[in-house]
Amino acid sequence: QRLKSALWFAIGKFVDDECLSQNLNATPQFIGALTELVYTQIENTSRDLESFARHGGRRIINTDDVMLLSRRNEGLESLLRDTLDAMKAREKPADTGRAKPAAKTAAKGKGKARQ
């Protein structure tokens, strides 16, 4: 219930700011209905993400789950992909010019090497 109240407050503030900038009015009923819509979407999204992670045999939701969820919204998927690529680029350590240690090529008694 506290989450829904916080959501109602945040949406109300956003709607008020937009109404002021565009010289419009919004009723409390509109803000309440929009809050219910957003809350329901959050519930559905969280259930889908949990299901995707569970299907993948994981207990933790990862970026692959989020990308799978966005697959039917090309604009959102593109925005998320660009953001993810930028985050990955920032995480890569700067190349210091040193040789990197060689990766292990075979795991003893396990067949293929893990990379």
Side-chain angles (χ1 to χ4, degrees):
Q1 199 61 17
R2 287 177 54 196
L3 174 61
K4 201 177 238 185
S5 294
L7 185 62
W8 179 85
F9 178 78
I11 289 173
K13 185 169 174 16
F14 177 78
V15 169
D16 286 346
D17 291 345
E18 285 299 308
C19 285
L20 286 174
S21 71
Q22 297 185 26
N23 197 26
L24 298 170
N25 289 322
T27 65
Q29 292 82 3
F30 170 78
I31 294 171
L34 185 59
T35 300
E36 286 297 323
L37 177 77
V38 171
Y39 188 79
T40 300
Q41 187 65 35
I42 291 169
E43 285 182 319
N44 291 336
T45 298
S46 63
R47 270 195 301 272
D48 287 347
L49 289 171
E50 288 172 349
S51 295
F52 294 157
R54 199 174 317 112
H55 180 73
R58 294 173 277 103
R59 295 181 63 174
I60 297 175
I61 295 167
N62 65 25
T63 54
D64 292 337
D65 302 319
V66 176
M67 294 309 297
L68 182 60
L69 184 69
S70 70
R71 72 193 181 283
R72 292 193 178 142
N73 184 333
E74 292 178 17
L76 177 61
E77 183 179 29
S78 176
L79 178 68
L80 289 174
R81 176 73 54 211
D82 292 346
T83 302
L84 183 59
D85 290 344
M87 289 171 65
K88 285 181 179 179
R90 283 194 302 265
E91 288 177 2
K92 288 185 180 179
D95 187 8
T96 59
R98 294 188 210 166
K100 295 180 182 173
K104 293 182 180 179
T105 56
K108 192 172 185 176
K110 296 289 182 183
K112 286 188 172 183
R114 294 184 183 192
Q115 294 183 10

